[in-house]
Amino acid sequence: MSTMAEPILGASLEELRRTRTSVKWRVFGPEVLPVWVAEMDSRQCPAVVEALTSALQRGDTGYAWPSEYAEAVAGFAQRRWGWSPDPATMASIPDVMIGIEELLHRHVPRESAVVVSPPVYDSFYGFIASVGRRLVTAPLNDEFRLDFEALERAFTDAGPGSAYLLCNPQNPTGTVHTAEELAQLARLADQHSILVISDEIHAPLVQPGTTYSPYLSVPEASRGVALVSGSKAWNLAGIKAALAVPGPEARQRLTDLHEVVTHGANHLGVLAQTVAYSDESGWLDQLLEEIAARRAYTEALLAERLPQIRVIPANATYLAWLDCRELGVDDPAKVFRERGKVALTSGFAYDPDGGAGWARLNIATSEEILDEAVRRMAAAVP
């Protein structure tokens, strides 16, 4: 455990209500306890605070220059995963989803499709709709792993020139795809001429003891593109900056991006994320330990107070995917919010066709708040 003086996820409900003004704390009224959006109730990494404070004091608030950011990500990938992406090939983008949107615009013809594997990050659906491409689904299997028979059918339906949006690790399930699964995915995509675009925003949040494989670290994935950002692991969603990383055979896909996209990153975001990926103080390791402890605490609370709910085992993210089907309601998140005044995210957001009876809970908060959240959830159940 890190020797930092205070917990990262220890802020009280009173403190958070007094100090937080982000969407998590404003979209619902003060009577609702928010444990929904993927935003942590964390104290910030001291190195990030120092970097941003110093930049503001110096007046260093101009346009972004992302080369050091790319080098920091490459260094982090080498230290954590033994993977050495070339920072010179990376492209700066405003955030992960804007990068994905632009790649779909440029490299997926209008008559082609985009494949996703639900339950999966809800914004995938919105951005596919925004670019006017057809949606095709290849649901995960019963163990929440990639289903290659479903992928084969989906890739055939989508047709050559289409894309597959991979969530690696998977949000909301916390699934960490293995190198063998990723290699099989890459081979299947190549057979069907499908571009794999891997959202790896939760990659730094893989639990110790679990092997994480970036998609492009798999030799078979040379034609793919990955997108990375520190916005989840270091709680920097409000200071956006991201990078697109090409496989060896996909570099042209990034050089084709228009400069209105590649010049769009926030300078303070680039500074903050460069420091975050470079930081070796132990802050991230402490956070991972606290998340593991919160996951165990949440599981124990639910087992005691709401045994009808099953928490899906996860090795990544700070999100808990809850099987609430025994409660007998289609949208348990709606019930919890209306009757219990606690906001989770509906399972339908991640799986419009199969999300009935599911909900997502954000566990990146204090034990006090998790205890109150589960108390309210239990009170909402007849």
Side-chain angles (χ1 to χ4, degrees):
M1 183 76 172
S2 169
T3 57
M4 288 187 176
E6 59 183 348
I8 295 170
L9 300 174
S12 68
L13 179 58
E14 186 279 330
E15 177 185 348
L16 291 165
R17 288 214 183 278
R18 177 169 45 83
T19 61
R20 301 297 171 99
T21 60
S22 63
V23 65
K24 179 177 182 178
W25 293 92
R26 290 297 178 91
V27 73
F28 299 109
E31 75 282 0
V32 175
L33 182 66
V35 285
W36 61 290
V37 71
E39 177 183 317
M40 295 191 291
D41 297 335
S42 62
R43 304 189 192 281
Q44 188 50 263
C45 174
V48 171
V49 174
E50 182 179 352
L52 290 178
T53 303
S54 175
L56 291 170
Q57 289 173 339
R58 298 191 312 270
D60 184 11
T61 53
Y63 294 109
W65 185 253
S67 60
E68 291 183 0
Y69 181 16
E71 291 169 3
V73 167
F76 183 90
Q78 177 56 48
R79 292 192 305 274
R80 293 273 171 164
W81 309 314
W83 175 51
S84 299
D86 182 356
T89 67
M90 300 180 191
S92 172
I93 49 177
D95 66 32
V96 164
M97 289 310 304
I98 295 299
I100 288 176
E101 181 180 43
E102 185 63 15
L103 286 166
L104 296 179
H105 265 307
R106 270 191 182 269
H107 298 295
V108 177
R110 279 206 168 268
E111 64 274 13
S112 296
V114 182
V115 181
V116 300
S117 290
V120 73
Y121 180 40
D122 54 330
S123 288
F124 280 3
Y125 300 104
F127 277 86
I128 293 168
S130 78
V131 298
R133 301 317 191 256
R134 182 168 63 95
L135 170 70
V136 178
T137 61
L140 301 178
N141 65 22
D142 291 342
E143 287 74 45
F144 297 105
R145 308 209 69 86
L146 297 176
D147 184 329
F148 290 98
E149 291 184 0
L151 284 167
E152 173 79 49
R153 291 192 295 271
F155 288 175
T156 300
D157 179 354
S162 297
Y164 175 65
L165 297 187
L166 171 66
C167 201
N168 181 35
Q170 192 89 5
N171 169 12
T173 65
T175 305
V176 178
H177 308 296
T178 67
E180 292 76 16
E181 288 170 328
L182 296 176
Q184 188 173 350
L185 168 64
R187 289 191 294 268
L188 187 63
D190 283 351
Q191 291 168 17
H192 290 268
S193 298
I194 301 289
L195 169 63
V196 177
I197 303 172
S198 184
D199 172 358
E200 305 195 345
I201 203 167
H202 288 277
L205 294 168
V206 172
Q207 282 294 309
T210 298
T211 299
Y212 172 71
S213 298
Y215 180 66
L216 299 180
S217 69
V218 177
E220 292 88 344
S222 63
R223 294 180 177 85
V225 178
L227 298 104
V228 300
S229 170
S231 68
K232 298 305 178 190
W234 288 275
N235 210 39
L236 297 170
I239 319 173
K240 291 184 176 183
L243 293 168
V245 185
E249 298 181 63
R251 293 177 181 177
Q252 187 62 42
R253 295 188 186 276
L254 299 191
T255 58
D256 286 346
L257 295 180
H258 197 281
E259 66 176 12
V260 299
V261 176
T262 59
H263 290 184
N266 180 303
H267 176 55
L268 293 177
V270 167
L271 294 178
Q273 301 205 30
T274 299
V275 169
Y277 276 105
S278 303
D279 180 57
E280 296 191 61
S281 68
W283 186 91
L284 180 60
D285 294 323
Q286 177 178 334
L287 174 66
L288 293 174
E289 290 183 6
E290 291 188 25
I291 290 171
R294 294 300 186 274
R295 193 174 297 279
Y297 187 73
T298 303
E299 290 173 355
L301 285 174
L302 288 169
E304 176 186 354
R305 301 179 192 174
L306 269 175
Q308 307 98 309
I309 294 179
R310 181 171 68 101
V311 183
I312 301 305
N315 292 316
T317 80
Y318 49 75
L319 307 165
W321 187 231
L322 306 182
D323 181 354
C324 309
R325 289 175 293 179
E326 283 192 22
L327 298 179
V329 294
D330 278 352
D331 192 353
K334 182 178 180 182
V335 172
F336 295 144
R337 186 175 66 255
E338 293 179 350
R339 297 182 186 172
K341 304 303 179 186
V342 56
L344 284 72
T345 311
S346 170
F348 289 116
Y350 310 99
D351 188 353
D353 296 323
W358 294 85
R360 193 191 76 173
L361 169 67
N362 182 344
I363 62 172
T365 189
S366 66
E367 290 186 355
E368 169 203 351
I369 289 173
L370 289 172
D371 188 85
E372 177 65 11
V374 174
R375 186 194 70 76
R376 295 186 185 199
M377 290 164 65
V381 176

